[in-house]
Amino acid sequence: MEDLIYNKPHRRYNILTGEWILVSPHRTKRPWQGKTEDKVEVKTVTYDPSCYLCPGNERASGDKNPNYEHVYTFTNDFAALLPDVEAEEVNEGLFKAATEEGICKVVCFSPDHSLTLPLMKEEDITRVVQKWKEEYIELGGKDGINNVQIFENKGAIMGCSNPHPHGQIWAQRSIPEEIIKKTENQKVYWEQHNKSLLQAYIEQEKEVNERILVENEYFVALVPYWAVWPYEAMIVPKRHIQSIDQLQEEEEKAFASIIKKLTIKFDNLFETSFPYSAGIHQKPTDGKEHPEWHFHMSFYPPLLRSSTVKKFMVGYEMFANPQRDITAEQAANTLNALSEVHYLKR
Ligand SMILES: [Zn+2]
């Protein structure tokens, strides 16, 4: 029954955001005559004198990076949010606005310019996880910071201006839209079932075992049932924890390990440095308990059928709702057939 439905055009529900997506599996055979992207060249230089993130180099602000040896964070020189902005509002008829304040930081994952998460050692990814945790606690603990968004834009195709391995953290007064939607939907489930929505979800996923990619003692990585991006994936802790500050030492290592395994699969898919936007969604730092929250990390990669053909979110997707051709199960099968050894290390 289910399989028959999944072969036809159908809609799937995203339990976290409360939104629907359209799946059109019959369209996967249509020929592609659209835009292709340049193939990503493999970086080989471990130090680039013109890179503003490499150790010892000067940034646009005039500040010099220290000769850092592992992970390194600093306040973004071109921050989208600024601290100490005086609270002001516009309320003139239908014109509504308010000032916003916050802090934007850059997290250099490694001093080695040539690396990416899948090519880093697990122990060094663990250091990145620990730094995320530290920043979440420190930034989230500040007065007037009610949400801490940790993310990585990887690849020029995702608008990332520098190939040095790095991510960002935007911490701010307001709670952003995605967090508001996910808070509401998790809260409804929590109040009805006294159980975490994502805990119930991963239990059901484990029963059917059709979309799971990698699993270890503490985490599971899968293509979510409601995936929008062709090879979208999500890492979920098995234990119901609200935010990364609750990770125990063994869990930090397991989180790093599953990030590495998942991103190796991504790179192996089209034998390229696989671009994506990845982000951690977790409980807001607004001082409330948020027992409904179950932290998770989502990966939204744009590539569709090769290292040069990407999915576009245009037309129907801009005006109606997201749509995909290959099903989440097909994407999971393709990823599961790939080696766990990085193609550059074979
Ligand atoms: Zn660099």
Side-chain angles (χ1 to χ4, degrees):
M1 177 66 186
E2 273 183 3
D3 286 350
L4 284 177
I5 287 177
Y6 295 164
N7 287 331
K8 296 172 189 167
H10 62 277
R11 302 172 87 213
R12 292 197 191 188
Y13 183 66
N14 182 333
I15 54 170
L16 285 168
T17 61
E19 293 162 344
W20 290 87
I21 76 144
L22 178 65
V23 186
S24 316
H26 58 291
R27 289 216 316 170
T28 45
K29 288 181 186 72
R30 82 202 152 105
W32 180 260
Q33 291 180 315
K35 188 175 176 1
T36 59
E37 304 286 333
D38 293 336
K39 201 172 158 94
V40 184
E41 298 299 327
V42 175
K43 295 175 288 170
T44 48
V45 284
T46 57
Y47 169 76
D48 176 354
S50 68
C51 168
Y52 65 91
L53 299 177
C54 274
N57 289 358
E58 196 177 286
R59 302 200 307 269
S61 61
D63 290 346
K64 203 174 159 189
N65 295 327
N67 284 314
Y68 63 98
E69 287 176 6
H70 300 293
V71 55
Y72 166 63
T73 62
F74 62 90
T75 301
N76 197 327
D77 302 319
F78 302 99
L81 293 161
L82 299 169
D84 308 319
V85 176
E86 202 182 324
E88 283 173 87
E89 279 188 14
V90 173
N91 264 312
E92 290 164 16
L94 299 176
F95 301 148
K96 197 173 168 180
T99 49
E100 179 64 342
E101 65 174 339
I103 300 161
C104 294
K105 296 189 90 166
V106 176
V107 184
C108 296
F109 296 159
S110 163
D112 187 335
H113 186 84
S114 73
L115 293 182
T116 53
L117 286 174
L119 293 169
M120 280 169 64
K121 287 189 197 135
E122 238 171 72
E123 64 201 68
D124 289 328
I125 305 174
T126 303
R127 288 190 167 100
V128 174
V129 169
Q130 287 163 344
K131 183 57 84 177
W132 285 338
K133 193 171 149 175
E134 211 180 287
E135 292 286 350
Y136 176 80
I137 294 167
E138 195 196 310
L139 293 167
K142 289 185 192 289
D143 280 346
I145 296 294
N146 294 314
N147 193 73
V148 178
Q149 182 57 56
I150 296 169
F151 65 96
E152 177 193 6
N153 273 339
K154 179 171 174 249
I157 203 175
M158 296 308 290
C160 179
S161 52
N162 188 320
H164 194 105
H166 73 285
Q168 299 186 52
I169 304 175
W170 291 19
Q172 65 187 108
R173 177 179 290 281
S174 303
I175 301 179
E177 297 304 319
E178 286 292 297
I179 307 298
I180 290 173
K181 286 187 268 182
K182 289 190 172 186
T183 302
E184 280 170 4
N185 287 293
Q186 290 181 102
K187 202 170 171 200
V188 168
Y189 194 89
W190 174 258
E191 283 169 359
Q192 282 174 358
H193 303 271
N194 200 26
K195 181 171 187 168
S196 137
L197 174 66
L198 280 183
Q199 191 141 42
Y201 170 65
I202 56 174
E203 279 168 17
Q204 197 178 337
E205 283 289 7
K206 283 177 77 160
E207 266 170 42
V208 296
N209 195 21
E210 282 181 324
R211 285 167 292 271
I212 293 175
L213 303 172
V214 195
E215 192 179 345
N216 62 34
E217 197 181 341
Y218 300 102
F219 287 89
V220 58
L222 48 79
V223 178
Y225 183 75
W226 53 84
V228 165
W229 295 94
Y231 293 95
E232 181 172 332
M234 181 164 82
I235 296 175
V236 189
K238 291 180 182 175
R239 192 164 69 90
H240 175 205
I241 45 179
Q242 284 74 33
S243 42
I244 51 171
D245 55 326
Q246 294 165 34
L247 289 174
Q248 308 289 319
E249 202 183 327
E250 286 305 307
E251 290 170 322
E252 292 169 1
K253 288 182 194 162
F255 189 26
S257 167
I258 204 161
I259 289 173
K260 183 173 168 83
K261 289 201 167 100
L262 174 66
T263 53
I264 284 177
K265 286 214 173 254
F266 279 160
D267 276 13
N268 285 346
L269 180 60
F270 301 129
E271 300 208 336
T272 191
S273 185
F274 201 66
Y276 58 72
S277 267
I280 295 174
H281 275 155
Q282 52 190 330
K283 80 167 180 182
T285 54
D286 56 0
K288 294 180 187 150
E289 266 190 49
H290 290 292
E292 73 279 6
W293 257 95
H294 193 133
F295 111 74
H296 52 280
M297 183 170 189
S298 293
F299 291 77
Y300 303 149
L303 293 185
L304 179 59
R305 60 185 82 198
S306 73
S307 66
T308 59
V309 175
K310 77 166 188 174
K311 176 183 171 62
F312 287 91
M313 287 281 197
V314 294
Y316 179 82
E317 300 175 301
M318 279 179 156
F319 291 98
N321 59 231
Q323 180 272 344
R324 64 183 285 134
D325 291 349
I326 56 165
T327 63
E329 299 72 51
Q330 287 168 335
N333 278 341
T334 305
L335 289 169
N336 273 332
L338 299 167
S339 169
E340 292 196 351
V341 181
H342 197 279
Y343 74 96
L344 291 175
K345 304 220 165 162
R346 275 180 225 149

